[in-house]
Amino acid sequence: MKETWRWFGPLDALGLDEVAQTGAAGIVNALHEVPYGEVWQSADIAARRHLIESAGFDWDVVESLPIHEAIKRGDAPLEPLFANYRQSMANLAENGIRTICYNFMPLLDWTRTDLASPLPRGGTCLRFSAPKMAAFELYMVGRRGAEADYSDAVLAAARAWFAQASSDDQAELLKSIMSGLPGAYDRYSLETLRRALDAYQGLSRDDLRANYKRFLQEIIPTAQELGLSFCVHPDDPPRDILGLPRIVSSADDIGWVLDAVDAPENGLTFCTGSLGANPLNDLPEMVQKFGARIHFAHLRNVVKDPDGSFEEGTHLGGDSDMVAILRALLAAESARGISLPFRPDHGHDLLDDSGRKTHPGYPLIGRLRGLAELRGVIAALA
């Protein structure tokens, strides 16, 4: 397996000289400064690739080539957006970038309610609190029908939290929920979020699936022509958020995605944290089932609570059996004769990480610890 590191380019507080000291050989990067729906110009891709390669790395994976919200909603006309997307793909292929990670989560990317939840022995981690999310939906956004998505116990805890929450607490919650959007992409205020949710009004799970299938039918043939591998990132968390359906959360969902356009180029980013947050998912079994279509792996771990809350664990110490997962991934890549790129994901903020102002979930020391642990397991299994 090939060690890679997510780097946010000029937007990143970490320099490539620091990343080099982690031992990772490859970089995962994107042109986050380009607005969604616009073409990634070949010259800009070439300049970023030169920057990465000059520091001694390969640019192994694009994460992400984002999908415009109009495509997810199924608005018309979409042909210009699909044309721009295909042109970006062609420009990436022209510059030797062959693996594209993306997601089909409506409106929000990964979602957390706490960016610095304290850990027992020091440091902090990302956390998703079901009561805080319920409070956000019910009392801050004011989403009708949100009560139906939560248990009575979670609703009671949400009321209690909101009753004592200050305006600063509420502002921090909004900031945390918005922080999953990558790079320099604009965050939502409560008012702009309400308007964005209105645009999705009435969109069902079947509607979103139909729009996703159209995207695959428009894009995967071009990927085949260009020699590109696409790999969808699972939903994070693997549950509906803000009343928006999420459709890449389980083994059945992934099976549907891969069958929608049954081609090797239509593949999966195997994120052990996203899939591990769903208690029904058996991750080693999923690797065995979908291993031929896994093009990229995010390796992290979560610790789940009975109410649907969870937080980032250590890479080897959460609820998922990382050793069994890595054993299955090594078997899958061996069967295919490839070196599968992976990266340590969402580390704890440890020691002086808190002063570096890195992107939430992407500290230096916390991810370095995770990479070292994963490297050790892989070496032992190999």
PDB file of all heavy atoms in Angstrom, residues 150-188:
ATOM      1  N   TYR A 150     -34.953  11.914  15.373  1.00  0.00           N
ATOM      2  CA  TYR A 150     -34.190  11.702  16.603  1.00  0.00           C
ATOM      3  C   TYR A 150     -35.046  10.997  17.654  1.00  0.00           C
ATOM      4  O   TYR A 150     -36.273  11.133  17.673  1.00  0.00           O
ATOM      5  CB  TYR A 150     -33.701  13.046  17.167  1.00  0.00           C
ATOM      6  CG  TYR A 150     -32.731  13.762  16.244  1.00  0.00           C
ATOM      7  CD1 TYR A 150     -33.183  14.749  15.364  1.00  0.00           C
ATOM      8  CD2 TYR A 150     -31.379  13.446  16.241  1.00  0.00           C
ATOM      9  CE1 TYR A 150     -32.300  15.405  14.512  1.00  0.00           C
ATOM     10  CE2 TYR A 150     -30.488  14.100  15.390  1.00  0.00           C
ATOM     11  CZ  TYR A 150     -30.952  15.064  14.534  1.00  0.00           C
ATOM     12  OH  TYR A 150     -30.080  15.699  13.690  1.00  0.00           O
ATOM     13  N   SER A 151     -34.388  10.263  18.524  1.00  0.00           N
ATOM     14  CA  SER A 151     -35.084   9.574  19.614  1.00  0.00           C
ATOM     15  C   SER A 151     -35.532  10.574  20.670  1.00  0.00           C
ATOM     16  O   SER A 151     -35.057  11.714  20.729  1.00  0.00           O
ATOM     17  CB  SER A 151     -34.147   8.547  20.250  1.00  0.00           C
ATOM     18  OG  SER A 151     -33.088   9.200  20.948  1.00  0.00           O
ATOM     19  N   ASP A 152     -36.423  10.132  21.541  1.00  0.00           N
ATOM     20  CA  ASP A 152     -36.893  10.999  22.626  1.00  0.00           C
ATOM     21  C   ASP A 152     -35.740  11.413  23.528  1.00  0.00           C
ATOM     22  O   ASP A 152     -35.691  12.567  23.992  1.00  0.00           O
ATOM     23  CB  ASP A 152     -37.965  10.280  23.445  1.00  0.00           C
ATOM     24  CG  ASP A 152     -39.274  10.101  22.680  1.00  0.00           C
ATOM     25  OD1 ASP A 152     -39.455  10.800  21.652  1.00  0.00           O
ATOM     26  OD2 ASP A 152     -40.093   9.255  23.094  1.00  0.00           O
ATOM     27  N   ALA A 153     -34.817  10.495  23.788  1.00  0.00           N
ATOM     28  CA  ALA A 153     -33.685  10.816  24.663  1.00  0.00           C
ATOM     29  C   ALA A 153     -32.791  11.882  24.037  1.00  0.00           C
ATOM     30  O   ALA A 153     -32.325  12.808  24.721  1.00  0.00           O
ATOM     31  CB  ALA A 153     -32.883   9.551  24.957  1.00  0.00           C
ATOM     32  N   VAL A 154     -32.554  11.770  22.742  1.00  0.00           N
ATOM     33  CA  VAL A 154     -31.730  12.777  22.058  1.00  0.00           C
ATOM     34  C   VAL A 154     -32.441  14.116  22.036  1.00  0.00           C
ATOM     35  O   VAL A 154     -31.824  15.174  22.256  1.00  0.00           O
ATOM     36  CB  VAL A 154     -31.375  12.306  20.627  1.00  0.00           C
ATOM     37  CG1 VAL A 154     -30.782  13.444  19.801  1.00  0.00           C
ATOM     38  CG2 VAL A 154     -30.395  11.138  20.682  1.00  0.00           C
ATOM     39  N   LEU A 155     -33.751  14.121  21.805  1.00  0.00           N
ATOM     40  CA  LEU A 155     -34.501  15.371  21.791  1.00  0.00           C
ATOM     41  C   LEU A 155     -34.472  16.051  23.163  1.00  0.00           C
ATOM     42  O   LEU A 155     -34.339  17.282  23.242  1.00  0.00           O
ATOM     43  CB  LEU A 155     -35.943  15.116  21.367  1.00  0.00           C
ATOM     44  CG  LEU A 155     -36.139  14.674  19.911  1.00  0.00           C
ATOM     45  CD1 LEU A 155     -37.592  14.283  19.661  1.00  0.00           C
ATOM     46  CD2 LEU A 155     -35.719  15.778  18.940  1.00  0.00           C
ATOM     47  N   ALA A 156     -34.546  15.262  24.223  1.00  0.00           N
ATOM     48  CA  ALA A 156     -34.478  15.842  25.572  1.00  0.00           C
ATOM     49  C   ALA A 156     -33.098  16.445  25.818  1.00  0.00           C
ATOM     50  O   ALA A 156     -32.984  17.551  26.385  1.00  0.00           O
ATOM     51  CB  ALA A 156     -34.790  14.769  26.612  1.00  0.00           C
ATOM     52  N   ALA A 157     -32.056  15.744  25.394  1.00  0.00           N
ATOM     53  CA  ALA A 157     -30.698  16.265  25.561  1.00  0.00           C
ATOM     54  C   ALA A 157     -30.488  17.515  24.706  1.00  0.00           C
ATOM     55  O   ALA A 157     -29.784  18.447  25.111  1.00  0.00           O
ATOM     56  CB  ALA A 157     -29.684  15.185  25.199  1.00  0.00           C
ATOM     57  N   ALA A 158     -31.105  17.559  23.540  1.00  0.00           N
ATOM     58  CA  ALA A 158     -30.998  18.737  22.671  1.00  0.00           C
ATOM     59  C   ALA A 158     -31.641  19.949  23.333  1.00  0.00           C
ATOM     60  O   ALA A 158     -31.094  21.067  23.315  1.00  0.00           O
ATOM     61  CB  ALA A 158     -31.652  18.450  21.324  1.00  0.00           C
ATOM     62  N   ARG A 159     -32.817  19.757  23.920  1.00  0.00           N
ATOM     63  CA  ARG A 159     -33.486  20.861  24.613  1.00  0.00           C
ATOM     64  C   ARG A 159     -32.626  21.377  25.761  1.00  0.00           C
ATOM     65  O   ARG A 159     -32.501  22.594  25.955  1.00  0.00           O
ATOM     66  CB  ARG A 159     -34.853  20.408  25.152  1.00  0.00           C
ATOM     67  CG  ARG A 159     -35.936  20.268  24.086  1.00  0.00           C
ATOM     68  CD  ARG A 159     -37.303  20.115  24.712  1.00  0.00           C
ATOM     69  NE  ARG A 159     -37.422  18.869  25.463  1.00  0.00           N
ATOM     70  CZ  ARG A 159     -37.785  17.700  24.941  1.00  0.00           C
ATOM     71  NH1 ARG A 159     -38.086  17.613  23.645  1.00  0.00           N
ATOM     72  NH2 ARG A 159     -37.880  16.627  25.701  1.00  0.00           N
ATOM     73  N   ALA A 160     -32.041  20.452  26.508  1.00  0.00           N
ATOM     74  CA  ALA A 160     -31.211  20.841  27.647  1.00  0.00           C
ATOM     75  C   ALA A 160     -29.980  21.617  27.191  1.00  0.00           C
ATOM     76  O   ALA A 160     -29.599  22.622  27.811  1.00  0.00           O
ATOM     77  CB  ALA A 160     -30.802  19.604  28.439  1.00  0.00           C
ATOM     78  N   TRP A 161     -29.363  21.153  26.098  1.00  0.00           N
ATOM     79  CA  TRP A 161     -28.166  21.869  25.615  1.00  0.00           C
ATOM     80  C   TRP A 161     -28.539  23.267  25.149  1.00  0.00           C
ATOM     81  O   TRP A 161     -27.874  24.243  25.512  1.00  0.00           O
ATOM     82  CB  TRP A 161     -27.511  21.108  24.459  1.00  0.00           C
ATOM     83  CG  TRP A 161     -26.277  21.812  23.965  1.00  0.00           C
ATOM     84  CD1 TRP A 161     -25.021  21.710  24.462  1.00  0.00           C
ATOM     85  CD2 TRP A 161     -26.207  22.787  22.896  1.00  0.00           C
ATOM     86  NE1 TRP A 161     -24.161  22.544  23.782  1.00  0.00           N
ATOM     87  CE2 TRP A 161     -24.868  23.218  22.826  1.00  0.00           C
ATOM     88  CE3 TRP A 161     -27.149  23.326  22.017  1.00  0.00           C
ATOM     89  CZ2 TRP A 161     -24.431  24.166  21.888  1.00  0.00           C
ATOM     90  CZ3 TRP A 161     -26.726  24.278  21.091  1.00  0.00           C
ATOM     91  CH2 TRP A 161     -25.385  24.686  21.024  1.00  0.00           C
ATOM     92  N   PHE A 162     -29.597  23.385  24.384  1.00  0.00           N
ATOM     93  CA  PHE A 162     -29.943  24.685  23.821  1.00  0.00           C
ATOM     94  C   PHE A 162     -30.385  25.656  24.914  1.00  0.00           C
ATOM     95  O   PHE A 162     -30.129  26.866  24.818  1.00  0.00           O
ATOM     96  CB  PHE A 162     -31.045  24.542  22.768  1.00  0.00           C
ATOM     97  CG  PHE A 162     -31.295  25.804  21.997  1.00  0.00           C
ATOM     98  CD1 PHE A 162     -30.403  26.220  21.025  1.00  0.00           C
ATOM     99  CD2 PHE A 162     -32.424  26.580  22.258  1.00  0.00           C
ATOM    100  CE1 PHE A 162     -30.628  27.396  20.315  1.00  0.00           C
ATOM    101  CE2 PHE A 162     -32.646  27.752  21.555  1.00  0.00           C
ATOM    102  CZ  PHE A 162     -31.739  28.164  20.587  1.00  0.00           C
ATOM    103  N   ALA A 163     -31.023  25.149  25.959  1.00  0.00           N
ATOM    104  CA  ALA A 163     -31.502  26.012  27.037  1.00  0.00           C
ATOM    105  C   ALA A 163     -30.356  26.733  27.735  1.00  0.00           C
ATOM    106  O   ALA A 163     -30.531  27.857  28.226  1.00  0.00           O
ATOM    107  CB  ALA A 163     -32.310  25.200  28.045  1.00  0.00           C
ATOM    108  N   GLN A 164     -29.190  26.100  27.787  1.00  0.00           N
ATOM    109  CA  GLN A 164     -28.057  26.734  28.471  1.00  0.00           C
ATOM    110  C   GLN A 164     -26.994  27.275  27.516  1.00  0.00           C
ATOM    111  O   GLN A 164     -25.999  27.860  27.951  1.00  0.00           O
ATOM    112  CB  GLN A 164     -27.424  25.741  29.453  1.00  0.00           C
ATOM    113  CG  GLN A 164     -26.962  24.422  28.836  1.00  0.00           C
ATOM    114  CD  GLN A 164     -25.619  24.506  28.134  1.00  0.00           C
ATOM    115  OE1 GLN A 164     -24.693  25.120  28.673  1.00  0.00           O
ATOM    116  NE2 GLN A 164     -25.527  23.935  26.931  1.00  0.00           N
ATOM    117  N   ALA A 165     -27.203  27.104  26.197  1.00  0.00           N
ATOM    118  CA  ALA A 165     -26.195  27.515  25.221  1.00  0.00           C
ATOM    119  C   ALA A 165     -26.197  29.037  25.048  1.00  0.00           C
ATOM    120  O   ALA A 165     -27.251  29.652  24.859  1.00  0.00           O
ATOM    121  CB  ALA A 165     -26.457  26.842  23.876  1.00  0.00           C
ATOM    122  N   SER A 166     -25.014  29.624  25.112  1.00  0.00           N
ATOM    123  CA  SER A 166     -24.875  31.054  24.869  1.00  0.00           C
ATOM    124  C   SER A 166     -24.846  31.325  23.368  1.00  0.00           C
ATOM    125  O   SER A 166     -24.776  30.395  22.552  1.00  0.00           O
ATOM    126  CB  SER A 166     -23.584  31.566  25.503  1.00  0.00           C
ATOM    127  OG  SER A 166     -22.452  30.988  24.838  1.00  0.00           O
ATOM    128  N   SER A 167     -24.889  32.598  23.007  1.00  0.00           N
ATOM    129  CA  SER A 167     -24.764  32.937  21.587  1.00  0.00           C
ATOM    130  C   SER A 167     -23.418  32.496  21.038  1.00  0.00           C
ATOM    131  O   SER A 167     -23.321  32.089  19.877  1.00  0.00           O
ATOM    132  CB  SER A 167     -24.969  34.444  21.392  1.00  0.00           C
ATOM    133  OG  SER A 167     -24.013  35.173  22.152  1.00  0.00           O
ATOM    134  N   ASP A 168     -22.373  32.552  21.864  1.00  0.00           N
ATOM    135  CA  ASP A 168     -21.058  32.069  21.431  1.00  0.00           C
ATOM    136  C   ASP A 168     -21.078  30.564  21.203  1.00  0.00           C
ATOM    137  O   ASP A 168     -20.458  30.069  20.252  1.00  0.00           O
ATOM    138  CB  ASP A 168     -19.992  32.421  22.471  1.00  0.00           C
ATOM    139  CG  ASP A 168     -19.640  33.904  22.479  1.00  0.00           C
ATOM    140  OD1 ASP A 168     -20.001  34.607  21.506  1.00  0.00           O
ATOM    141  OD2 ASP A 168     -19.003  34.352  23.445  1.00  0.00           O
ATOM    142  N   ASP A 169     -21.784  29.839  22.076  1.00  0.00           N
ATOM    143  CA  ASP A 169     -21.906  28.385  21.903  1.00  0.00           C
ATOM    144  C   ASP A 169     -22.598  28.068  20.578  1.00  0.00           C
ATOM    145  O   ASP A 169     -22.190  27.159  19.847  1.00  0.00           O
ATOM    146  CB  ASP A 169     -22.711  27.762  23.045  1.00  0.00           C
ATOM    147  CG  ASP A 169     -21.988  27.831  24.379  1.00  0.00           C
ATOM    148  OD1 ASP A 169     -20.745  27.882  24.383  1.00  0.00           O
ATOM    149  OD2 ASP A 169     -22.685  27.853  25.416  1.00  0.00           O
ATOM    150  N   GLN A 170     -23.649  28.805  20.275  1.00  0.00           N
ATOM    151  CA  GLN A 170     -24.379  28.564  19.031  1.00  0.00           C
ATOM    152  C   GLN A 170     -23.520  28.918  17.810  1.00  0.00           C
ATOM    153  O   GLN A 170     -23.536  28.200  16.806  1.00  0.00           O
ATOM    154  CB  GLN A 170     -25.670  29.378  19.020  1.00  0.00           C
ATOM    155  CG  GLN A 170     -26.670  28.940  20.086  1.00  0.00           C
ATOM    156  CD  GLN A 170     -27.922  29.791  20.067  1.00  0.00           C
ATOM    157  OE1 GLN A 170     -28.485  30.082  19.015  1.00  0.00           O
ATOM    158  NE2 GLN A 170     -28.373  30.207  21.245  1.00  0.00           N
ATOM    159  N   ALA A 171     -22.767  30.008  17.903  1.00  0.00           N
ATOM    160  CA  ALA A 171     -21.888  30.395  16.800  1.00  0.00           C
ATOM    161  C   ALA A 171     -20.804  29.345  16.579  1.00  0.00           C
ATOM    162  O   ALA A 171     -20.451  29.031  15.438  1.00  0.00           O
ATOM    163  CB  ALA A 171     -21.261  31.758  17.080  1.00  0.00           C
ATOM    164  N   GLU A 172     -20.293  28.792  17.663  1.00  0.00           N
ATOM    165  CA  GLU A 172     -19.262  27.762  17.548  1.00  0.00           C
ATOM    166  C   GLU A 172     -19.832  26.492  16.934  1.00  0.00           C
ATOM    167  O   GLU A 172     -19.161  25.818  16.145  1.00  0.00           O
ATOM    168  CB  GLU A 172     -18.676  27.457  18.936  1.00  0.00           C
ATOM    169  CG  GLU A 172     -17.511  26.475  18.931  1.00  0.00           C
ATOM    170  CD  GLU A 172     -16.289  26.997  18.190  1.00  0.00           C
ATOM    171  OE1 GLU A 172     -16.129  28.228  18.076  1.00  0.00           O
ATOM    172  OE2 GLU A 172     -15.487  26.152  17.719  1.00  0.00           O
ATOM    173  N   LEU A 173     -21.072  26.167  17.263  1.00  0.00           N
ATOM    174  CA  LEU A 173     -21.707  24.989  16.671  1.00  0.00           C
ATOM    175  C   LEU A 173     -21.881  25.179  15.168  1.00  0.00           C
ATOM    176  O   LEU A 173     -21.589  24.265  14.378  1.00  0.00           O
ATOM    177  CB  LEU A 173     -23.051  24.724  17.345  1.00  0.00           C
ATOM    178  CG  LEU A 173     -23.861  23.536  16.812  1.00  0.00           C
ATOM    179  CD1 LEU A 173     -23.063  22.237  16.885  1.00  0.00           C
ATOM    180  CD2 LEU A 173     -25.183  23.393  17.570  1.00  0.00           C
ATOM    181  N   LEU A 174     -22.347  26.336  14.740  1.00  0.00           N
ATOM    182  CA  LEU A 174     -22.489  26.609  13.311  1.00  0.00           C
ATOM    183  C   LEU A 174     -21.137  26.510  12.620  1.00  0.00           C
ATOM    184  O   LEU A 174     -21.017  25.888  11.553  1.00  0.00           O
ATOM    185  CB  LEU A 174     -23.093  27.993  13.093  1.00  0.00           C
ATOM    186  CG  LEU A 174     -23.164  28.468  11.635  1.00  0.00           C
ATOM    187  CD1 LEU A 174     -24.073  27.568  10.813  1.00  0.00           C
ATOM    188  CD2 LEU A 174     -23.639  29.924  11.572  1.00  0.00           C
ATOM    189  N   LYS A 175     -20.108  27.110  13.207  1.00  0.00           N
ATOM    190  CA  LYS A 175     -18.765  27.056  12.626  1.00  0.00           C
ATOM    191  C   LYS A 175     -18.290  25.617  12.486  1.00  0.00           C
ATOM    192  O   LYS A 175     -17.717  25.235  11.460  1.00  0.00           O
ATOM    193  CB  LYS A 175     -17.800  27.845  13.501  1.00  0.00           C
ATOM    194  CG  LYS A 175     -16.343  27.752  13.060  1.00  0.00           C
ATOM    195  CD  LYS A 175     -15.423  28.432  14.065  1.00  0.00           C
ATOM    196  CE  LYS A 175     -13.962  28.184  13.724  1.00  0.00           C
ATOM    197  NZ  LYS A 175     -13.055  28.773  14.758  1.00  0.00           N
ATOM    198  N   SER A 176     -18.525  24.805  13.504  1.00  0.00           N
ATOM    199  CA  SER A 176     -18.077  23.404  13.469  1.00  0.00           C
ATOM    200  C   SER A 176     -18.770  22.640  12.347  1.00  0.00           C
ATOM    201  O   SER A 176     -18.131  21.895  11.596  1.00  0.00           O
ATOM    202  CB  SER A 176     -18.356  22.732  14.818  1.00  0.00           C
ATOM    203  OG  SER A 176     -17.631  23.361  15.855  1.00  0.00           O
ATOM    204  N   ILE A 177     -20.082  22.819  12.225  1.00  0.00           N
ATOM    205  CA  ILE A 177     -20.839  22.088  11.210  1.00  0.00           C
ATOM    206  C   ILE A 177     -20.418  22.514   9.805  1.00  0.00           C
ATOM    207  O   ILE A 177     -20.379  21.703   8.883  1.00  0.00           O
ATOM    208  CB  ILE A 177     -22.346  22.285  11.445  1.00  0.00           C
ATOM    209  CG1 ILE A 177     -22.764  21.531  12.717  1.00  0.00           C
ATOM    210  CG2 ILE A 177     -23.168  21.807  10.251  1.00  0.00           C
ATOM    211  CD1 ILE A 177     -24.170  21.795  13.185  1.00  0.00           C
ATOM    212  N   MET A 178     -20.040  23.777   9.639  1.00  0.00           N
ATOM    213  CA  MET A 178     -19.613  24.276   8.333  1.00  0.00           C
ATOM    214  C   MET A 178     -18.171  23.877   7.987  1.00  0.00           C
ATOM    215  O   MET A 178     -17.759  23.977   6.829  1.00  0.00           O
ATOM    216  CB  MET A 178     -19.717  25.796   8.290  1.00  0.00           C
ATOM    217  CG  MET A 178     -21.135  26.334   8.295  1.00  0.00           C
ATOM    218  SD  MET A 178     -22.114  25.745   6.883  1.00  0.00           S
ATOM    219  CE  MET A 178     -23.224  24.604   7.719  1.00  0.00           C
ATOM    220  N   SER A 179     -17.398  23.438   8.966  1.00  0.00           N
ATOM    221  CA  SER A 179     -15.967  23.236   8.752  1.00  0.00           C
ATOM    222  C   SER A 179     -15.639  22.028   7.895  1.00  0.00           C
ATOM    223  O   SER A 179     -14.498  21.875   7.462  1.00  0.00           O
ATOM    224  CB  SER A 179     -15.243  23.116  10.104  1.00  0.00           C
ATOM    225  OG  SER A 179     -15.245  24.358  10.761  1.00  0.00           O
ATOM    226  N   GLY A 180     -16.601  21.157   7.628  1.00  0.00           N
ATOM    227  CA  GLY A 180     -16.339  20.022   6.759  1.00  0.00           C
ATOM    228  C   GLY A 180     -16.226  20.399   5.299  1.00  0.00           C
ATOM    229  O   GLY A 180     -15.753  19.608   4.486  1.00  0.00           O
ATOM    230  N   LEU A 181     -16.662  21.612   4.949  1.00  0.00           N
ATOM    231  CA  LEU A 181     -16.520  22.065   3.563  1.00  0.00           C
ATOM    232  C   LEU A 181     -15.048  22.348   3.304  1.00  0.00           C
ATOM    233  O   LEU A 181     -14.407  23.072   4.069  1.00  0.00           O
ATOM    234  CB  LEU A 181     -17.355  23.327   3.331  1.00  0.00           C
ATOM    235  CG  LEU A 181     -18.868  23.124   3.447  1.00  0.00           C
ATOM    236  CD1 LEU A 181     -19.575  24.469   3.433  1.00  0.00           C
ATOM    237  CD2 LEU A 181     -19.390  22.252   2.322  1.00  0.00           C
ATOM    238  N   PRO A 182     -14.464  21.805   2.228  1.00  0.00           N
ATOM    239  CA  PRO A 182     -13.017  21.857   2.063  1.00  0.00           C
ATOM    240  C   PRO A 182     -12.519  23.205   1.584  1.00  0.00           C
ATOM    241  O   PRO A 182     -13.258  24.031   1.033  1.00  0.00           O
ATOM    242  CB  PRO A 182     -12.766  20.786   0.994  1.00  0.00           C
ATOM    243  CG  PRO A 182     -14.022  20.765   0.195  1.00  0.00           C
ATOM    244  CD  PRO A 182     -15.126  21.041   1.172  1.00  0.00           C
ATOM    245  N   GLY A 183     -11.227  23.414   1.792  1.00  0.00           N
ATOM    246  CA  GLY A 183     -10.519  24.519   1.193  1.00  0.00           C
ATOM    247  C   GLY A 183     -11.131  25.878   1.508  1.00  0.00           C
ATOM    248  O   GLY A 183     -11.537  26.174   2.619  1.00  0.00           O
ATOM    249  N   ALA A 184     -11.222  26.729   0.508  1.00  0.00           N
ATOM    250  CA  ALA A 184     -11.687  28.102   0.685  1.00  0.00           C
ATOM    251  C   ALA A 184     -13.149  28.266   0.312  1.00  0.00           C
ATOM    252  O   ALA A 184     -13.632  29.373   0.172  1.00  0.00           O
ATOM    253  CB  ALA A 184     -10.832  29.048  -0.161  1.00  0.00           C
ATOM    254  N   TYR A 185     -13.846  27.157   0.134  1.00  0.00           N
ATOM    255  CA  TYR A 185     -15.246  27.254  -0.289  1.00  0.00           C
ATOM    256  C   TYR A 185     -16.069  27.994   0.768  1.00  0.00           C
ATOM    257  O   TYR A 185     -15.888  27.813   1.966  1.00  0.00           O
ATOM    258  CB  TYR A 185     -15.825  25.863  -0.519  1.00  0.00           C
ATOM    259  CG  TYR A 185     -17.110  25.882  -1.308  1.00  0.00           C
ATOM    260  CD1 TYR A 185     -17.116  26.235  -2.653  1.00  0.00           C
ATOM    261  CD2 TYR A 185     -18.316  25.584  -0.706  1.00  0.00           C
ATOM    262  CE1 TYR A 185     -18.292  26.268  -3.377  1.00  0.00           C
ATOM    263  CE2 TYR A 185     -19.505  25.615  -1.421  1.00  0.00           C
ATOM    264  CZ  TYR A 185     -19.479  25.960  -2.754  1.00  0.00           C
ATOM    265  OH  TYR A 185     -20.648  26.014  -3.464  1.00  0.00           O
ATOM    266  N   ASP A 186     -16.980  28.851   0.325  1.00  0.00           N
ATOM    267  CA  ASP A 186     -17.749  29.683   1.242  1.00  0.00           C
ATOM    268  C   ASP A 186     -18.560  28.835   2.213  1.00  0.00           C
ATOM    269  O   ASP A 186     -19.171  27.835   1.838  1.00  0.00           O
ATOM    270  CB  ASP A 186     -18.701  30.595   0.462  1.00  0.00           C
ATOM    271  CG  ASP A 186     -17.959  31.668  -0.322  1.00  0.00           C
ATOM    272  OD1 ASP A 186     -16.810  31.943   0.050  1.00  0.00           O
ATOM    273  OD2 ASP A 186     -18.530  32.198  -1.283  1.00  0.00           O
ATOM    274  N   ARG A 187     -18.585  29.274   3.473  1.00  0.00           N
ATOM    275  CA  ARG A 187     -19.436  28.652   4.474  1.00  0.00           C
ATOM    276  C   ARG A 187     -20.819  29.292   4.425  1.00  0.00           C
ATOM    277  O   ARG A 187     -20.999  30.392   3.909  1.00  0.00           O
ATOM    278  CB  ARG A 187     -18.829  28.854   5.868  1.00  0.00           C
ATOM    279  CG  ARG A 187     -17.819  27.813   6.314  1.00  0.00           C
ATOM    280  CD  ARG A 187     -16.674  27.643   5.372  1.00  0.00           C
ATOM    281  NE  ARG A 187     -15.660  26.737   5.954  1.00  0.00           N
ATOM    282  CZ  ARG A 187     -14.810  26.066   5.248  1.00  0.00           C
ATOM    283  NH1 ARG A 187     -14.831  26.130   3.931  1.00  0.00           N
ATOM    284  NH2 ARG A 187     -13.913  25.299   5.816  1.00  0.00           N
ATOM    285  N   TYR A 188     -21.803  28.595   5.049  1.00  0.00           N
ATOM    286  CA  TYR A 188     -23.152  29.127   5.106  1.00  0.00           C
ATOM    287  C   TYR A 188     -23.379  29.836   6.436  1.00  0.00           C
ATOM    288  O   TYR A 188     -22.909  29.399   7.487  1.00  0.00           O
ATOM    289  CB  TYR A 188     -24.179  28.003   4.988  1.00  0.00           C
ATOM    290  CG  TYR A 188     -24.165  27.258   3.665  1.00  0.00           C
ATOM    291  CD1 TYR A 188     -23.619  25.986   3.575  1.00  0.00           C
ATOM    292  CD2 TYR A 188     -24.697  27.841   2.524  1.00  0.00           C
ATOM    293  CE1 TYR A 188     -23.601  25.299   2.371  1.00  0.00           C
ATOM    294  CE2 TYR A 188     -24.695  27.162   1.315  1.00  0.00           C
ATOM    295  CZ  TYR A 188     -24.139  25.894   1.251  1.00  0.00           C
ATOM    296  OH  TYR A 188     -24.120  25.217   0.050  1.00  0.00           O
TER     297      TYR A 188
END
